[in-house]
Amino acid sequence: MVKKTKYIFVTGGVTSSLGKGIIGASLAKLLQAQGYRVTIQKLDPYINVDPGTLNPYEHGECYVTADGAETDLDLGHYERFLNVPTSQANNVTTGRIYQSVIEKERRGEFLGKTVQVVPHITDEIKDRIQILGNSGDYDIVITEIGGTVGDIESLPYIEAVRQLRWDLGEHNGIVIHLTLVPYLSAAGELKTKPTQHSVKTLMESGIQADVLVCRTEHDLPVELRKKLALFCNVREEAVIQSIDASTIYDVPNLMLQQGLDKVVLKKLDLPSVEPEMTKWNQFLKKLKNPKTEVTIGLIGKYVELQDSYKSILESFIHAGAENEVKVNLESIHSEYLNDDNIKLKLSHLDGILVAPGFGERGIEGKIVAVRYVRENNMPFFGICLGMQMAVIEFARHVLHIPDADSTEMNPNTKNPVIDLMEEQKSITDKGGTMRLGAWDCDLKLGSKVSEIYKAKTIKERHRHRYEFNSDYKEQIEAAGMLATGLNPDTGLVEIIEIPTHPFFVGVQYHPEYSSTVANPHPLFVAFVKAALKFKNNK
Ligand code: GLN
C-alpha cells in the first residue's frame, strides 16, 4: 500500500461536456485494477449548496449516495465503474465551501482577521480535497474540478490546486488537463490551437499540466501529438487521445491502450502492473454480443434529456448485459399520453418503467400508462413517483375511488392514498430536507421481491417526501396489490407488487443508484428477464 496518499487533479478546458467524469472514472478503474485503493471526488463551482434543488434540465439527474448526500451525477459513474460507495465528502460545491467558512467566521474562528478568498476559501477547498486522503482509506484520490479553466467561478479551485501541489511536493500531486481537439471539416484538419490556449490559461494560474487528454472525433496523428507536446510542455507519451467510443464502458480499455495509467503512475512515482480487467471485459463481451433484444418504454417528463435519468439508463445497460439482451429504451413523454392514444404508444413494448419525479406535470399520463400495462399483463416497474402512480391507479380503477390522489398533486383530495410523510409536515426549507439515503427494508417472505433479492432485509437509497398512506393498506391489499417491503422501524411501505400479474413491482426507493458493472441491480435484471418472457409469449 502507498504510504502517503497521492492526488490526481482533473481539469477541463475549451468546452464543458468533454467527459471529465468518464475519464476520471476510467483512470480510477485502471488504477483499482492494479491493486490501488482509489476514490474520486467532484468539486462543483456553482453556489448551490448541493444539486438537490436543481431541475434536471440544469445539470441532469441528482445522484444520491448511501449516506444521504444529493450529489452530481458523475458520482454515479464513479460508483458504477469502481463498485465502491461514495459519500458526502466526494462532492463539494462552492455553496458548501462558503457556507462552512461563513459559519466558522460567525463562531469567531477567524476573530480579528479579514476573511478572504485567499487564504480562507482556498484553505477550505484544500481541506475538503484532503479529507478523503487523510481518512487512510485511499492510496490515490482523483479530484475532478467541474467547469472550464478560465471561468470566473473556477478560479479559487485552480488556486487551491496550485497551492496544494506545492504543499504536497513532487510526485504527490499531478494535473491531468482535458481539452478538445476539434476537426474542421472545411479544412479537413484537426486543430490544436484551442488546446494550446487552454494550457496557457492554466499556466497563467501557475499550473503546468502533467498529462493532456484530448477529446477528438478522429485519431490524433503522431505529428499532431508531437506538436501538442512541444507547445504545451508535456512529454509526447503524456498526450493521450480520448476518441468518441460506442459505450462509456470502453473508455478504460481505450485509456489502457494509450498508456494513461502508466504515465500517471510514473509521474506519481508508483509501480505499475498489468491491470486485472477480466470481469470488466466479460461484462463488455456480454454487452456487445446480445443474443436478442427487448424494447422498454421509459415513461417520464424529462425524457428528451440524456442526463435526466442517467442512472436508470445505465442500470438497463448492466441488466441487459447480465441477461445477454440488448435493451432498447424508448423514451415516452407522459404529458402526451391519454386513454385515446395509449394502445398506439405502448402496445409494441415489452415492458414499461415509470420514472421518478416531482410535481404535477405529466402525472395523468403516467396513471393511464400504469392502467394499460396492469390490465394487459405487460411488465411494469415503478420507481418512487412511478410506484406512487401505481398505487393511485390501483385505488382509482380497482378500488373505485375516483378521487384517489397524492397530496403532492392535489392537497385537498378526500382520498390521499399517497400522503406527505409525518416527519415532513413541519419542514418548510427545500434544500436537503427530503427523506434521503439508505434505509432498511424488510421483504415479505414468498413475495416476488424476496425471490429476486434472495434476502430478508435490504438497504436501498431514498429521495422523497411522500409515502404510501397506510390507512389504505388493508383495502388495497384485499384487492390484490400487496405491500411486500416495509421499513422495520416505521412500517413505511417501500415496495408494492401485484402477485397475479407477471411482473408488477413498484419501489419507493431508487434501485438505479446502486447498480454497478460488477453488481447489476437484481430488480433491473429481473425486470429485463420478465420483459423478455413477455416478448417471447406474444
Ligand atoms: N415527488 C415524490 C415524493 O417526493 C416522488 C419523489 C421521487 O420520485 N424521487 O415523494
Side-chain angles (χ1 to χ4, degrees):
M1 290 295 105
V2 177
K3 267 202 224 104
K4 194 172 157 209
T5 304
K6 309 251 181 182
Y7 292 85
I8 299 170
F9 304 102
V10 183
T11 57
V14 186
T15 73
S16 57
S17 304
L18 290 179
K20 277 194 300 250
I22 301 294
I23 293 295
S26 299
L27 173 61
K29 182 76 225 168
L30 294 177
L31 299 176
Q32 184 193 48
Q34 298 181 41
Y36 290 106
R37 299 169 306 157
V38 194
T39 189
I40 322 189
Q41 177 188 46
K42 172 94 190 267
L43 305 183
D44 277 309
Y46 52 71
I47 298 172
N48 304 63
V49 171
D50 60 45
T53 52
L54 294 176
N55 185 312
Y57 286 113
E58 299 275 321
H59 278 274
E61 164 190 283
C62 170
Y63 184 77
V64 180
T65 59
D67 70 344
E70 296 178 285
T71 71
D72 185 77
L73 59 79
D74 273 344
L75 269 72
H77 292 308
Y78 307 161
E79 290 203 11
R80 289 188 280 271
F81 276 55
L82 298 180
N83 197 37
V84 171
T86 56
S87 69
Q88 180 67 74
N90 294 76
N91 192 195
V92 178
T93 67
T94 295
R96 198 170 285 279
I97 297 281
Y98 271 81
Q99 189 181 46
S100 148
V101 170
I102 291 168
E103 279 166 9
K104 286 181 184 166
E105 187 275 334
R106 292 288 83 185
R107 286 200 297 272
E109 285 184 32
F110 310 116
L111 221 50
K113 291 269 180 281
T114 310
V115 180
Q116 295 180 293
V117 173
V118 183
H120 301 96
I121 295 297
T122 45
D123 278 353
E124 185 71 29
I125 296 173
K126 283 157 69 180
D127 286 349
R128 297 292 178 132
I129 293 173
Q130 288 172 286
I131 283 178
L132 289 163
N134 293 341
S135 70
D137 295 336
Y138 305 105
D139 301 318
I140 301 170
V141 176
I142 301 179
T143 298
E144 179 195 341
I145 319 277
T148 308
V149 165
D151 292 349
I152 293 174
E153 53 183 20
S154 300
L155 281 172
Y157 292 94
I158 300 293
E159 170 60 13
V161 169
R162 185 194 68 77
Q163 292 179 18
L164 198 51
R165 250 202 343 171
W166 194 249
D167 301 344
L168 292 165
E170 230 186 326
H171 301 304
N172 293 324
I174 63 163
V175 172
I176 299 178
H177 190 55
L178 214 82
T179 71
L180 176 70
V181 176
Y183 180 78
L184 291 192
S185 47
E189 269 183 90
L190 285 161
K191 291 295 185 187
T192 65
K193 198 70 84 189
T195 298
Q196 294 181 40
H197 281 300
S198 169
V199 170
K200 279 206 182 105
T201 308
L202 199 54
M203 280 175 81
E204 279 167 17
S205 301
I207 294 179
Q208 166 64 52
D210 297 282
V211 178
L212 284 185
V213 175
C214 304
R215 183 71 189 264
T216 173
E217 289 171 4
H218 298 268
D219 275 313
L220 294 186
V222 179
E223 317 83 71
L224 211 124
R225 287 180 199 239
K226 280 199 164 75
K227 187 174 170 186
L228 278 167
L230 178 70
F231 281 101
C232 301
N233 292 321
V234 294
R235 292 195 177 280
E236 209 182 305
E237 78 224 32
V239 179
I240 308 282
Q241 78 172 21
S242 160
I243 202 157
D244 291 355
S246 61
T247 155
I248 55 171
Y249 300 106
D250 269 339
V251 180
N253 283 325
L254 292 174
M255 292 300 113
L256 179 65
Q257 285 159 17
Q258 306 258 319
L260 175 64
D261 56 320
K262 281 199 189 62
V263 174
V264 162
L265 288 169
K266 195 163 144 197
K267 297 229 175 251
L268 292 174
D269 203 17
L270 291 173
S272 72
V273 293
E274 197 54 42
E276 168 45 38
M277 298 285 283
T278 318
K279 275 195 87 179
W280 185 272
N281 290 331
Q282 280 166 356
F283 157 77
L284 277 176
K285 198 170 161 202
K286 283 202 258 174
L287 179 67
K288 291 182 176 181
N289 299 288
K291 296 200 173 111
T292 175
E293 53 188 316
V294 294
T295 306
I296 286 170
L298 171 61
I299 311 217
K301 63 173 175 176
Y302 304 111
V303 286
E304 64 277 33
L305 286 175
Q306 274 285 320
D307 280 354
S308 311
Y309 301 115
K310 195 79 200 165
S311 295
I312 292 177
L313 306 193
E314 299 304 325
S315 300
F316 274 120
I317 291 177
H318 309 155
E322 185 69 14
N323 281 294
E324 296 179 75
V325 170
K326 179 170 190 283
V327 178
N328 302 311
L329 274 187
E330 202 174 297
S331 297
I332 299 173
H333 217 302
S334 58
E335 252 183 304
Y336 309 124
L337 292 179
N338 54 49
D339 286 325
D340 298 331
N341 66 13
I342 197 69
K343 187 158 185 241
L344 184 77
K345 299 268 190 185
L346 302 193
S347 59
H348 62 290
L349 299 170
D350 306 316
I352 68 160
L353 184 145
V354 178
F358 296 85
E360 214 175 340
R361 188 164 69 89
I363 284 302
E364 292 303 323
K366 288 185 175 175
I367 295 174
V368 171
V370 178
R371 181 177 197 177
Y372 179 84
V373 296
R374 182 180 56 76
E375 291 178 348
N376 289 282
N377 285 322
M378 185 188 281
F380 164 80
F381 190 12
I383 297 183
C384 207
L385 184 69
M387 172 262 204
Q388 297 175 354
M389 292 306 110
V391 174
I392 295 173
E393 190 281 320
F394 194 82
R396 285 189 192 172
H397 304 121
V398 180
L399 293 179
H400 305 291
I401 311 176
D403 65 344
D405 217 328
S406 163
T407 46
E408 180 179 4
M409 328 303 164
N410 180 4
N412 301 320
T413 176
K414 292 219 167 54
N415 284 294
V417 290
I418 303 293
D419 200 4
L420 194 61
M421 281 179 279
E422 204 45 49
E423 73 217 45
Q424 289 284 330
K425 290 189 176 153
S426 56
I427 294 175
T428 50
D429 279 6
K430 293 283 182 246
T433 55
M434 281 188 248
R435 176 172 181 242
L436 291 166
W439 296 89
D440 278 344
C441 170
D442 286 345
L443 305 180
K444 196 163 270 171
L445 211 70
S447 63
K448 184 172 238 91
V449 281
S450 83
E451 192 186 300
I452 291 171
Y453 277 98
K454 297 186 178 58
K456 271 197 196 134
T457 303
I458 54 163
K459 220 181 174 80
E460 292 278 10
R461 303 180 200 182
H462 295 70
R463 182 172 187 248
H464 65 122
R465 294 186 203 280
Y466 295 81
E467 61 161 341
F468 180 109
N469 183 348
S470 294
D471 292 349
Y472 291 85
K473 190 160 152 236
E474 225 182 282
Q475 265 187 82
I476 288 178
E477 290 208 310
M481 175 184 271
L482 304 185
T484 53
L486 300 181
N487 178 288
D489 304 317
T490 58
L492 273 190
V493 174
E494 309 279 32
I495 306 174
I496 54 96
E497 57 183 85
I498 300 180
T500 52
H501 187 285
F503 192 103
F504 193 102
V505 178
V507 294
Q508 184 56 75
Y509 52 82
H510 293 265
E512 72 274 23
Y513 294 144
S514 50
S515 184
T516 69
V517 167
N519 274 321
H521 197 285
L523 279 179
F524 279 89
V525 174
F527 176 55
V528 170
K529 194 175 272 165
L532 186 61
K533 196 166 165 196
F534 180 81
K535 181 187 164 191
N536 290 338
N537 289 343
K538 261 185 200 166

